[in-house]
Amino acid sequence: SGESGAGKTESTKLLLQHIMSLCKSNSQLEQQILQVNPLLEAFGNAQTVMNDNSSRFGKYIQLRFQKNTVQGAKLSEYLLEKSRVVQQDTGERNFHIFYYMFAGLSSEQKEMYGLLDPSLYRYISGRFGTQEVAEHWKRKYREVCNALDMVGFQEQEQVDMQAILAGVLSLGNVTFEPEESNGSVKVSEASQGWLKAAAVSHKKSSLCVVCPALLRSPAVSCCCSLCADARDSIAKVAYGRVFGWIVCKINELLAENVDPEVELKEIGILDIFGFENFAVNRFEQLCINLANEQLQHFFNHHIFQLEQAAYKEEGLPWETITFNNNEPILNLLLAKPLGLLSLLDEQSAFPQATDKTFVDKLNSSFKGNSHFQTARGRVLGFSIIHYAGKVQYAARGFLEKNRDTVPASVRGLFINSVTPLLIPLHIHHEPRPTLAELMLWLDGLLIFLCPCQHSLMVLMERMYSANPHFVRCIKPNSQKEPGVLDNQVVLLQLRYNGLLETIRIRRDGFSWRPSFEEFAER
């Protein structure tokens, strides 16, 4: 754990390399486990103002061993930041893969996918980069292609995948305008070409990522903003399907091939998004920061509460060490029925509710709470005093993102798609739970779970039955500069992470714990 840009993902890669090197068998499987990283980073990482290679999803890696040899691995991914596909703030970029494609595809391939100059695309904000950066992206694109081959993607699957990504970019340029004759809305004349490019068609595959309603009739009976929302929903769902597909293929490749009766040992590594505080913080930042609050509570529980309880049980002379307990913040966010997420779910269930009614509800419910502050002036938002500091959240879009709904016509589009990748693995007609409902609070640790993913209860049981080790990553400076240690930036993190108290309990406590048998024998 640690702030965004503190080095969590790099530390995870180093830890994996170290474990593989200790195995000393150099099997093909061990190399494959290391080689899937470029693929995950290309599709799941992006440049933010805090980090040039920021993980925009959480991952849990399970390594399974038999006689000190890796027999298999499994990857679970949590809460991919799909909203980044359609919107990025100043100084930020979309997911890496879009830029790698522009730099790495040949002119013939770009023509096949209908890709034009990158500066024309709204979803990547017209930002590309210098020639030096483009060369770096070109090398990265080759790495991605090699990783796709290694993971086992067929050539046609790779073509389909890139056709979807190109279609997503073209779809972002589709705009809408009023139909003068009947007062409805239609695709603007200026973006008809983008609409055709979004429905990519070539000799080997045919892909449609546009709403059937838009194709059947020149007019759409809804306002322009609703059409734009539906367009963005299609883009986000399509990208999420591609990412989920990649993870499934990786798990197929890395699955263990052993007798199911054989008991395997396991090491699990949880690499989750870091604490974030941007100029503008949205629903995604609240989810990310809530996860970090939970990890901090999990840390406190193991390092301070369980440790000192053991000393007390043994009757040891011990002066209690106090620590910054963040439980009141978690209660503010997660309590039922009056925690922030419960109120968000409640408001999301009301068709007439708006982001403003949600904020009004928060202001009245948390008046006087020392960890909550109302926004000043006419700003639609609120502030939370997190364990790592105060963060102001812009409330616009909270209800829509929590509902995470996809229009029925768009669902039909994916179900009827000619590209197998876009057809959902399981088609359910029950209403989807909201994102807030998908967060489970269990004795201090939060894990995000999307439908049809790794069983949450199995994951939680494993984490609580295991022996946890905490790797605390410290960000050396706020300028993303190598070799620069800013004492104040480091000290602030040591304080809010509780690491100064941790050093004290490790120094004054009892670090060597032999069993009675070991002690008696010695």
Side-chain angles (χ1 to χ4, degrees):
S1 61
E3 279 189 18
S4 180
K8 297 178 296 301
T9 298
E10 293 303 313
S11 295
T12 298
K13 288 192 283 191
L14 289 169
L15 181 56
L16 281 170
Q17 287 172 23
H18 181 59
I19 292 170
M20 295 308 157
S21 132
L22 288 174
C23 292
K24 293 192 172 90
S25 63
N26 291 321
S27 70
Q28 183 185 9
L29 175 65
E30 287 160 11
Q31 292 308 307
Q32 287 171 331
I33 290 170
L34 296 176
Q35 287 167 356
V36 298
N37 266 312
L39 203 51
L40 291 171
E41 289 190 12
F43 285 85
N45 288 26
Q47 178 183 312
T48 69
V49 292
M50 297 177 76
N51 183 0
D52 288 348
N53 187 31
S54 177
S55 299
R56 308 317 298 165
F57 69 107
K59 65 176 177 283
Y60 184 65
I61 305 162
Q62 295 163 264
L63 302 173
R64 290 163 178 161
F65 298 84
Q66 184 183 19
K67 295 179 180 175
N68 299 331
T69 303
V70 179
Q71 296 294 336
K74 182 172 182 179
L75 178 75
S76 302
E77 52 96 2
Y78 303 100
L79 207 76
L80 177 70
E81 188 189 40
K82 291 180 290 191
S83 60
R84 180 166 294 271
V85 175
V86 302
Q87 181 187 10
Q88 310 95 45
D89 289 324
T90 305
E92 306 215 339
R93 294 189 189 275
N94 209 320
F95 290 102
H96 292 325
I97 187 61
F98 291 113
Y99 307 95
Y100 295 174
M101 280 175 62
F102 277 114
L105 288 171
S106 66
S107 300
E108 294 78 18
Q109 288 171 313
K110 286 177 187 173
E111 187 177 345
M112 180 176 78
Y113 294 126
L115 285 174
L116 305 176
D117 188 277
S119 64
L120 299 173
Y121 294 92
R122 189 177 68 86
Y123 280 170
I124 54 174
S125 307
R127 295 190 295 272
F128 196 63
T130 63
Q131 187 59 38
E132 184 183 349
V133 170
E135 283 300 317
H136 169 71
W137 287 341
K138 194 172 184 176
R139 289 194 300 273
K140 286 290 188 180
Y141 180 75
R142 286 196 292 270
E143 279 183 27
V144 169
C145 291
N146 291 338
L148 286 169
D149 290 336
M150 183 272 299
V151 169
F153 282 90
Q154 302 301 314
E155 182 184 351
Q156 184 55 49
E157 290 177 324
Q158 294 186 36
V159 168
D160 281 348
M161 181 190 296
Q162 296 187 86
I164 292 168
L165 297 177
V168 162
L169 289 179
S170 296
L171 187 64
N173 284 11
V174 174
T175 56
F176 306 92
E177 63 188 13
E179 174 68 78
E180 293 178 7
S181 59
N182 58 13
S184 59
V185 175
K186 66 174 182 178
V187 173
S188 67
E189 292 300 323
S191 62
Q192 288 289 341
W194 293 114
L195 183 63
K196 288 174 184 171
V200 178
S201 180
H202 52 86
K203 290 179 184 176
K204 289 191 175 179
S205 79
S206 158
L207 166 70
C208 175
V209 291
V210 291
C211 183
L214 302 183
L215 294 176
R216 284 197 299 269
S217 164
V220 181
S221 302
C222 61
C223 70
C224 292
S225 64
L226 286 176
C227 286
D229 288 344
R231 172 201 65 205
D232 290 347
S233 287
I234 296 170
K236 290 187 285 187
V237 170
Y239 193 84
R241 290 285 303 143
V242 170
F243 191 73
W245 189 38
I246 289 170
V247 171
C248 284
K249 294 284 281 191
I250 288 172
N251 284 334
E252 286 174 18
L253 172 79
L254 302 181
E256 61 268 15
N257 185 22
V258 294
D259 184 340
E261 298 298 315
V262 175
E263 186 180 353
L264 299 177
K265 307 264 186 180
E266 185 174 294
I267 295 176
I269 305 170
L270 183 67
D271 171 22
I272 206 158
F273 12 56
F275 188 88
E276 292 184 344
N277 189 0
F278 297 142
V280 180
N281 299 289
R282 299 188 170 88
F283 179 73
E284 291 80 9
Q285 275 66 53
L286 180 70
C287 292
I288 286 168
N289 292 343
L290 174 54
N292 281 272
E293 286 284 359
Q294 294 278 31
L295 281 177
Q296 181 66 17
H297 187 272
F298 188 57
F299 174 81
N300 288 341
H301 177 68
H302 277 271
I303 298 299
F304 297 112
Q305 292 170 312
L306 294 184
E307 183 91 355
Q308 297 189 88
Y311 297 168
K312 189 176 179 181
E313 188 181 336
E314 293 282 344
L316 299 172
W318 180 255
E319 184 182 332
T320 301
I321 291 178
T322 58
F323 59 95
N324 187 14
N325 191 346
N326 66 334
E327 207 160 309
I329 306 169
L330 291 173
N331 288 336
L332 165 74
L333 296 167
L334 295 168
K336 292 183 177 181
L338 293 176
L340 187 147
L341 287 188
S342 293
L343 295 175
L344 179 58
D345 271 346
E346 176 190 280
Q347 290 287 299
S348 298
F350 295 140
Q352 304 304 318
T354 64
D355 293 323
K356 185 179 185 311
T357 63
F358 168 59
V359 171
D360 291 343
K361 187 82 172 176
L362 295 185
N363 291 342
S364 62
S365 299
F366 300 134
K367 188 176 181 181
N369 189 308
S370 61
H371 296 285
F372 180 88
Q373 288 182 7
T374 57
R376 294 181 178 178
R378 296 188 174 184
V379 176
L380 185 64
F382 57 91
S383 295
I384 302 287
I385 316 298
H386 286 283
Y387 80 98
K390 176 180 170 181
V391 179
Q392 183 171 335
Y393 295 98
R396 193 169 305 283
F398 260 60
L399 262 62
E400 179 199 338
K401 288 173 180 176
N402 186 51
R403 289 174 182 138
D404 197 24
T405 52
V406 179
S409 56
V410 173
R411 284 199 298 273
L413 155 73
F414 285 103
I415 291 166
N416 297 317
S417 171
V418 295
T419 303
L421 167 56
L422 291 176
I423 303 169
L425 290 172
H426 304 287
I427 299 162
H428 293 298
H429 297 291
E430 313 91 53
R432 290 188 60 215
T434 62
L435 285 178
E437 287 169 342
L438 293 170
M439 298 171 182
L440 180 66
W441 158 256
L442 178 60
D443 198 20
L445 180 64
L446 174 86
I447 294 296
F448 298 97
L449 181 75
C450 296
C452 308
Q453 286 188 355
H454 184 65
S455 163
L456 178 63
M457 290 313 297
V458 172
L459 175 60
M460 296 306 299
E461 284 167 11
R462 282 184 178 144
M463 293 194 76
Y464 273 85
S465 64
N467 179 22
H469 295 263
F470 300 92
V471 179
R472 309 308 296 255
C473 299
I474 303 297
K475 192 173 184 174
N477 63 77
S478 300
Q479 288 71 48
K480 301 191 276 191
E481 289 293 330
V484 177
L485 191 84
D486 185 323
N487 285 341
Q488 289 307 307
V489 169
V490 170
L491 187 59
L492 179 66
Q493 292 169 82
L494 294 177
R495 281 183 175 144
Y496 75 61
N497 275 320
L499 291 184
L500 300 178
E501 291 84 359
T502 304
I503 290 166
R504 189 178 155 205
I505 202 169
R506 285 286 178 259
R507 184 192 63 195
D508 297 346
F510 302 85
S511 56
W512 188 53
R513 313 276 175 93
S515 67
F516 183 79
E517 288 76 11
E518 288 174 304
F519 174 74
E521 187 180 338
R522 180 170 174 155

